[in-house]
Amino acid sequence: MEARIREMLKQVVGEENYTENLIDMVSFSYDASEHSHRPGCGLWVQTAGQVSEILEMANREGIPVIPRGAGTGLSGMAVPIQGGIVLDLNHMNKILEISIEDRLAVVQPGVVYADLERALAPYGFFFPPDPASGTVSTLGGNVATNAGGLKGAKYGTTRDYVLGLEVVLPDGRIMKTGSRTMKSVSGFDLARLFVGSEGTLGVVTEITLKINPRPTATSAALATFDDLEDAGRAISQIMYSGIIPSALEILGRHTLEAINQNTDLRLPEVDAMLLAETDGYTLEETSYQIEKVIEVFEKNHPKEIKRAETEKEKEALWAARKSAYAVLARIKTNFVLEDVTVPMQRIAELLKGIEAISQKHQIQIATFGHAGDGNLHPQILYDGYDPEEVKRMERASADLFNLAVDLGGTLTGEHGIGLSKAPFMTLEHDPVAMDVMRKVKRMLDPNNILNPGKMALDPVSSG
Amino acid sequence: MEMHGYKMPEDLYYEENHFWVKEEGDLLVMGMDDFAQIMAGEIVYVQLPDEGKRIKAGKKFAKLESGKWLGKVFGPVNGELAAVNEELETNPSLINDDCYGKGWMYKIRPDDKGELANLIHGPEAVENWLLADIEKYAK
Amino acid sequence: MEAKYDFEKKFREQILQCSRCGFCQAVCPVFGATLRPAYNARGKMLLLKEVMDHKIPLDDALIETLFQCTTCASCAENCPSGVNVPEIIKQVRKDMVHIGSCHPAFKGMDAILKEKTNIYGEEEQESFGRDKNTRAEIVFFVGCVGLYREEESTEATLDLLDRLDVDYTLIDEVCCSGVLEDVGYEINRDLARKNMDRILATGAKTVVTGCPYCSRTFNTKTQYSPLRDKGIRILHVSQFLKDFDFGVTTDKRVTYHDPCDLGRHCGIYEEPRETIRKIAPNFVEMAHHHADSLCCGAGGGVRGAYPKNSIAMARRRLLEAEEIGAEVVLTDCNSCVHNLANAKLRKQKFRIYNTTQFINELMEEAE
């Protein structure tokens, strides 16, 4: 960082909130993806006003700014690939308001998802998306990636709950958009544009979220299958049950083996396991629902079906599911976690296709994911120090994206494009759509300073 | 007033364990002197007893700590603890930053202000005492 | 690439297993108090990976984070990828000391223990007026924090042992020096020998310690194996008191803070609670307890090297006591008592004690 810029930034945030210290630079180089790059400096900000001053200056000077929450993104959104300023928003971590009557909560971007849940619990309310990273990820990050989670099929994703935002635009202007009402169609839906924009269009400094009353009863069941295709078909047919389960997850063989190594759960090591949950307000109701789901399982040659009875059992199963990808990381030195999503009726084909890709490239791929909304997480495991294996991983990755798009699906259900999937954007999006996306980016960020190099938005990195 | 590298204001009274005392209306204000503050290093904890606590001359009534050292605070006179500097609860290093000003520690309601005469006072007395301690702690 | 350092030789695979998931951020007390990712377990693993990949050197620049870890093991407890961060950190510190790169506070600690008998370098010891070095069934080993920073608590504990007619003696104890192993050095063999000689001279078959760090050191370190080989049983006082009846109770709202050295490091969660439930029927848990307990911030040498952050961590823990309306916070480690007591704000009206001190106070009041 130039001395002049350094001084300006220190003036804005204070000496103690500016860093070029090696230990911070290393931390800020990484998120949870395979990518890394050194930034020029890191800043901890406390107010939207500070963010505004910083962006205004960066815009003038042409310095990249990369907003960062917990840094648990899986596609490289928070990696400062062109250097510049990492804007750490974790100090802005206050829950500003909870209004049960208005059915909303107003939070700063650095509030950890789990902390919001803790604050809502005494009211009997919750914020539904439930991302697996919820114990550490921040709401700013959840908004930036339109985070989904285990409850996606029934409750939707973050976008479905954002009522309004305060955003600092790349030129430094602070914009308030959206409303505190349950619905509004007043002007363009700008808030929705920023949700999932991965920090490329603006820095979110305040979020107004719709919240839900929390159903008090749940029923859960698990079903095992000796044939992946049977499990896939069971998932595709779930709509025929007439029920939308509050969660429907799949765990493949590798995943089950890895979980067993890390916990005392002793899950059966079969080709596929489905975990289902239904929720409501009485056990009678949730029981009725889960039985309907079980009927669908039964039509597809399950090996075994079990109801999870106690709270403890249920919690253990969901905890195991949430840590699946990190548990699998024990197997090889590196991994790439994919996020391909297809229409529900193509799930069985996707599962089979993943198997075939694994065979073809002689590379281990573990599978688990949100079967309930067609979002699988194939995890490619490889030795990052073996250049041959790295190449095989890259080829397998490419095949996976092609497969998903061929099945009418999308590259990413919830992890975002970031760096990891940027080269494949044009697989999924036609030239008109890409052009419109790039024009919107240009319009808001003509100097391309806000999180540049991501999402194939740069005209040069067209992929 | 600079004295052998330490700031030791002339008008203050000094308790031999390196606490300064001065009059403020009916009360006496006390704190740590520059010599002690430098020797101790950054203060990380100051005990702030409840108001009303009985203070006995020459007896320990509170403690404080730096990273490496535990220090005792001794009563300079007989009296009652009237007030404490609550800022020190979350910002104990005020003692290092400004030991005679913002880093004041306690206010005492003395039984008899005359007891101030028992403390070290006046440039010659202070200098002799300081030099002796500089030598003592140099070992 | 040839492994240059011992930490690489022993832990390379584990460090590579770190999936960068960041789940450790949810439980790391240093991160919780400072929100600085470089201090978090993930931040440390990223640095070590870059050292192993020869991208950055292992040197002074890394001291600030590699020596700022209470070794509470909350990260290891929660790591889905199986990375035992505290063990890796302890080994890295040894490598760093070996190349001359160490936090001055710890270098100072090693030096002080070569000349003095305790980590504070104190010359004078509080006299507890008890027998020392006499023949008895039990040696009560206090520990440095109890002798030089929490004398009131130690006095009360000894009073309690007296009330219970325990046949014990004190010894001219010196620092168990277990902490040195965790901050890049090694247990001081001289001090270890002195402790063992003096313990054996009493003819005692059991050593009861006031400090869980000491009991863990005596029980697990090779330098103290002569003690164990002679069949000496080593217990922490919370284990020792489990089967006693005190005949006193309180109706105050009491909670218990699990010290890392008793809980996560030794799996001792229930004995202290059994004792407390006997005397305090109105017992409540804080939000984080048992294996999830929040570290008080004093361990791993952090109180000596980074006192401000150490106290900030303790303050965070005390918020949980405030949240549940506790009137009394009990714990079984003098280090925890010390740090928590320093961190307590005047407006927080609960009181912090070692369990033994509290029981003694109740028995005193009952008289």
Side-chain angles (χ1 to χ4, degrees):
Chain A
M1 269 297 130
E2 244 182 85
R4 180 181 57 97
I5 308 286
R6 184 184 300 135
E7 281 320 305
M8 275 194 259
L9 292 173
K10 282 188 185 178
Q11 283 284 345
V12 176
V13 297
E15 180 95 37
E16 71 281 11
N17 289 314
Y18 176 93
T19 180
E20 281 181 48
N21 196 318
L22 175 69
I23 61 176
D24 297 312
M25 295 298 95
V26 171
S27 274
F28 287 144
S29 300
Y30 295 82
D31 61 6
S33 73
E34 294 282 288
H35 305 278
S36 71
H37 192 282
R38 287 281 189 278
C41 73
L43 298 179
W44 284 279
V45 286
Q46 326 285 336
T47 67
Q50 286 176 344
V51 177
S52 168
E53 275 186 74
I54 293 162
L55 285 181
E56 203 222 338
M57 187 274 295
N59 189 33
R60 221 184 319 122
E61 302 281 343
I63 303 175
V65 175
I66 299 87
R68 180 186 175 98
T72 54
L74 289 155
S75 305
M77 291 80 96
V79 173
I81 202 71
Q82 293 183 8
I85 300 167
V86 166
L87 205 63
D88 186 319
L89 292 152
N90 286 284
H91 286 203
M92 294 179 70
N93 60 1
K94 292 198 197 26
I95 297 172
L96 299 172
E97 184 191 347
I98 295 177
S99 168
I100 297 300
E101 280 137 356
D102 281 347
R103 195 183 156 189
L104 56 79
V106 182
V107 299
Q108 290 187 320
V111 172
V112 171
Y113 179 92
D115 288 339
L116 177 60
E117 287 289 90
R118 249 193 296 275
L120 293 173
Y123 299 99
F125 269 66
F126 76 137
F127 172 57
D130 198 17
S133 59
T135 53
V136 289
S137 60
T138 60
L139 287 159
N142 296 155
V143 165
T145 57
N146 185 21
L150 272 66
K151 298 212 162 47
K154 182 166 182 184
Y155 290 101
T157 58
T158 302
R159 179 177 286 141
D160 299 318
Y161 296 88
V162 173
L163 296 176
L165 296 173
E166 178 186 79
V167 188
V168 182
L169 299 175
D171 61 12
R173 288 180 297 164
I174 303 179
M175 175 181 81
K176 279 187 167 11
T177 183
S179 88
R180 283 175 64 100
T181 57
M182 283 292 103
K183 57 190 195 187
S184 163
V185 72
S186 171
F188 292 145
D189 192 349
L190 293 178
R192 289 297 172 88
L193 175 63
F194 286 91
V195 179
S197 64
E198 303 182 15
T200 57
L201 297 179
V203 178
V204 171
T205 49
E206 193 180 287
I207 310 160
T208 304
L209 292 166
K210 182 161 70 174
I211 54 181
N212 277 15
R214 184 187 206 104
T216 47
T218 59
S219 289
L222 66 78
T224 54
F225 298 83
D226 273 331
D227 188 335
L228 207 47
E229 250 190 284
D230 288 330
R233 223 176 304 109
I235 297 165
S236 300
Q237 292 175 357
I238 212 74
M239 286 301 133
Y240 292 118
S241 69
I243 303 289
I244 300 179
S246 50
L248 179 60
E249 296 289 306
I250 184 170
L251 297 165
R253 178 177 287 276
H254 288 312
T255 311
L256 291 164
E257 285 167 2
I259 291 177
N260 280 344
Q261 275 175 25
N262 187 43
T263 65
D264 305 319
L265 282 171
R266 278 193 287 245
L267 302 170
E269 287 168 15
V270 287
D271 264 28
M273 176 190 292
L274 295 181
L275 296 174
E277 184 193 79
T278 57
D279 66 3
Y281 292 87
T282 64
L283 278 175
E284 214 185 304
E285 179 194 343
T286 61
S287 222
Y288 173 85
Q289 290 185 34
I290 202 94
E291 287 301 330
K292 285 281 167 207
V293 168
I294 288 175
E295 272 173 40
V296 172
F297 291 165
E298 268 160 359
K299 294 200 175 90
N300 285 284
H301 318 120
K303 187 169 160 156
E304 191 199 358
I305 300 184
K306 247 175 41 162
R307 295 268 304 252
E309 297 302 333
T310 65
E311 278 316 302
K312 227 167 150 207
E313 262 182 80
K314 293 181 210 162
E315 266 174 42
L317 282 176
W318 296 121
R321 160 62 190 89
K322 283 182 178 175
S323 62
Y325 96 86
V327 165
L328 283 163
R330 296 173 185 234
I331 297 180
K332 289 256 168 130
T333 62
N334 293 67
F335 68 89
V336 154
L337 180 62
E338 300 300 0
D339 177 39
V340 288
T341 304
V342 296
M344 298 289 286
Q345 66 176 284
R346 317 302 295 267
I347 283 248
E349 287 172 74
L350 180 58
L351 284 166
K352 271 189 73 187
I354 292 170
E355 286 272 294
I357 291 171
S358 169
Q359 292 288 349
K360 173 176 167 198
H361 297 287
Q362 289 294 293
I363 198 159
Q364 248 182 303
I365 306 183
T367 302
F368 58 94
H370 312 300
D373 50 18
N375 187 179
L376 291 188
H377 289 310
Q379 186 163 344
I380 309 174
L381 308 167
Y382 67 102
D383 179 356
Y385 292 91
D386 176 349
E388 241 308 296
E389 230 176 297
V390 173
K391 283 210 191 76
R392 297 209 304 277
M393 174 278 290
E394 285 166 354
R395 281 179 229 132
S397 238
D399 278 0
L400 213 55
F401 294 132
N402 275 289
L403 172 64
V405 172
D406 283 345
L407 292 174
T410 175
L411 302 174
T412 168
E414 57 190 11
H415 294 171
I417 296 290
L419 286 167
S420 305
K421 293 150 210 153
F424 299 94
M425 279 288 274
T426 49
L427 248 191
E428 186 180 342
H429 301 284
D430 66 40
V432 178
M434 283 311 306
D435 185 49
V436 174
M437 279 195 257
R438 287 178 180 141
K439 285 217 163 65
V440 169
K441 167 70 171 171
R442 264 312 263 295
M443 176 193 70
L444 287 170
D445 187 12
N447 297 322
N448 196 19
I449 54 125
L450 199 55
N451 212 1
K454 310 283 173 72
M455 239 201 248
L457 291 171
D458 286 8
V460 278
S461 68
S462 48
Chain B
M1 197 223 95
E2 269 284 323
M3 215 187 262
H4 302 284
Y6 301 99
K7 292 194 202 67
M8 310 288 282
E10 286 188 327
D11 54 328
L12 300 174
Y13 293 83
Y14 293 89
E15 192 274 342
E16 65 177 358
N17 290 285
H18 286 281
F19 293 96
W20 56 264
V21 184
K22 76 172 184 217
E23 287 183 64
E24 192 183 83
D26 280 342
L27 302 176
L28 300 177
V29 189
M30 80 181 277
M32 217 173 161
D33 70 25
D34 194 41
F35 176 77
Q37 167 279 113
I38 290 175
M39 292 280 293
E42 191 178 1
I43 306 294
V44 299
Y45 169 67
V46 180
Q47 188 181 20
L48 300 169
D50 288 328
E51 288 87 345
K53 182 177 176 130
R54 211 41 228 159
I55 310 279
K56 289 212 186 87
K59 295 217 79 178
K60 163 192 149 197
F61 72 91
K63 56 185 177 176
L64 73 166
E65 282 189 52
S66 68
K68 57 181 180 175
W69 165 83
L70 174 72
K72 303 186 168 107
V73 187
F74 294 90
V77 299
N78 292 304
E80 188 184 275
L81 189 63
V84 300
N85 183 354
E86 297 201 330
E87 291 288 320
L88 296 178
E89 192 168 57
T90 47
N91 200 356
S93 53
L94 277 175
I95 294 179
N96 304 101
D97 296 338
D98 186 11
C99 59
Y100 298 110
K102 291 213 181 79
W104 68 272
M105 294 168 71
Y106 309 103
K107 289 189 184 167
I108 299 170
R109 181 165 285 108
D111 290 341
D112 171 13
K113 265 207 205 154
E115 285 178 5
L116 277 176
N118 299 335
L119 301 174
I120 304 163
H121 185 65
E124 216 187 290
V126 173
E127 190 167 6
N128 290 340
W129 163 65
L130 181 65
L131 279 172
D133 272 358
I134 292 176
E135 216 192 293
K136 180 163 134 196
Y137 288 101
K139 297 190 192 115
Chain C
M1 289 179 219
E2 189 56 51
K4 195 169 160 191
Y5 301 107
D6 281 340
F7 84 82
E8 258 183 289
K9 294 184 190 138
K10 292 191 185 150
F11 296 110
R12 180 185 171 79
E13 260 190 57
Q14 270 194 44
I15 295 169
L16 293 179
Q17 262 168 228
C18 169
S19 63
R20 293 174 306 279
C21 70
F23 283 19
C24 44
Q25 275 171 198
V27 296
C28 172
V30 189
F31 178 76
T34 60
L35 294 179
R36 193 169 169 188
Y39 291 155
N40 184 47
R42 173 172 70 164
K44 295 173 158 94
M45 292 301 104
L46 289 172
L47 287 167
L48 293 180
K49 184 154 188 304
E50 290 213 355
V51 169
M52 294 196 312
D53 287 344
H54 297 234
K55 289 191 185 145
I56 57 172
L58 187 67
D59 66 11
D60 284 1
L62 306 186
I63 287 178
E64 191 179 352
T65 176
L66 294 178
F67 280 88
Q68 188 162 184
C69 166
T70 63
T71 67
C72 76
S74 303
C75 50
E77 187 79 31
N78 282 282
C79 177
S81 307
V83 185
N84 193 338
V85 176
E87 288 309 305
I88 298 172
I89 295 294
K90 289 177 196 175
Q91 182 59 62
V92 172
R93 289 173 178 181
K94 291 194 178 197
D95 286 316
M96 287 179 80
V97 165
H98 192 67
I99 59 174
S101 214
C102 178
H103 190 288
F106 302 131
K107 208 164 161 188
M109 223 190 254
D110 183 59
I112 275 197
L113 286 177
K114 290 197 163 79
E115 287 177 50
K116 304 268 160 88
T117 62
N118 61 85
I119 52 172
Y120 302 109
E122 301 281 6
E123 298 278 0
E124 286 168 30
Q125 200 187 100
E126 184 85 30
S127 159
F128 296 104
R130 258 71 170 202
D131 286 341
K132 271 196 191 177
N133 308 316
T134 62
R135 313 262 327 155
E137 272 185 38
I138 292 172
V139 165
F140 187 73
F141 190 92
V142 184
C144 294
V145 185
L147 285 178
Y148 300 103
R149 292 288 183 268
E150 290 295 324
E151 299 94 331
E152 249 185 68
S153 166
T154 302
E155 178 79 53
T157 305
L158 296 175
D159 279 346
L160 179 63
L161 293 177
D162 289 338
R163 284 175 205 280
L164 299 174
D165 282 319
V166 177
D167 176 23
Y168 74 94
T169 178
L170 298 178
I171 57 167
D172 277 319
E173 61 178 78
V174 294
C175 183
C176 71
S177 68
V179 66
L180 293 179
E181 288 281 339
D182 292 347
V183 298
Y185 292 89
E186 277 178 21
I187 285 185
N188 185 311
R189 284 192 182 269
D190 225 23
L191 296 178
R193 208 168 300 122
K194 284 196 173 95
N195 276 331
M196 289 192 286
D197 287 344
R198 290 167 194 178
I199 289 171
L200 292 169
T202 65
K205 286 282 163 257
T206 308
V207 175
V208 174
T209 70
C211 167
Y213 213 127
C214 299
S215 52
R216 184 162 69 88
T217 302
F218 291 159
N219 266 322
T220 62
K221 299 299 179 199
T222 50
Q223 292 88 341
Y224 283 97
S225 53
L227 256 189
R228 304 192 294 271
D229 291 340
K230 291 218 157 58
I232 308 286
R233 209 168 55 121
I234 300 141
L235 294 174
H236 178 255
V237 69
S238 64
Q239 297 170 290
F240 178 68
L241 289 179
K242 182 177 75 91
D243 295 317
F244 281 86
D245 272 310
F246 308 102
V248 283
T249 57
T250 176
D251 54 11
K252 290 214 165 95
R253 202 169 160 79
V254 171
T255 189
Y256 175 69
H257 163 78
D258 291 279
C260 302
D261 266 310
L262 219 47
R264 270 183 297 272
H265 295 321
C266 291
I268 297 172
Y269 299 107
E270 295 308 328
E271 287 95 318
R273 285 176 168 82
E274 281 174 42
T275 301
I276 295 171
R277 284 204 171 90
K278 277 188 215 160
I279 55 146
N282 188 0
F283 173 78
V284 277
E285 300 277 8
M286 288 186 269
H288 290 94
H289 57 91
H290 283 78
D292 285 333
S293 183
L294 268 191
C295 175
C296 78
V302 173
R303 172 61 200 240
Y306 299 98
K308 274 168 59 177
N309 282 346
S310 183
I311 291 180
M313 288 186 252
R315 218 151 256 170
R316 238 180 125 231
R317 179 46 155 175
L318 291 178
L319 282 177
E320 296 205 332
E322 212 184 302
E323 259 164 41
I324 55 161
E327 293 173 78
V328 173
V329 177
L330 296 182
T331 185
D332 276 312
C333 168
N334 281 314
S335 234
C336 294
V337 171
H338 188 68
N339 218 31
L340 292 172
N342 279 184
K344 187 181 83 73
L345 299 170
R346 293 179 102 221
K347 63 176 180 164
Q348 287 171 322
K349 294 305 177 192
F350 49 75
R351 297 198 55 193
I352 301 165
Y353 299 89
N354 257 324
T355 306
T356 46
Q357 194 185 359
F358 185 62
I359 298 176
N360 189 58
E361 193 176 281
L362 289 179
M363 289 177 99
E364 224 169 53
E365 282 168 9
E367 275 159 8

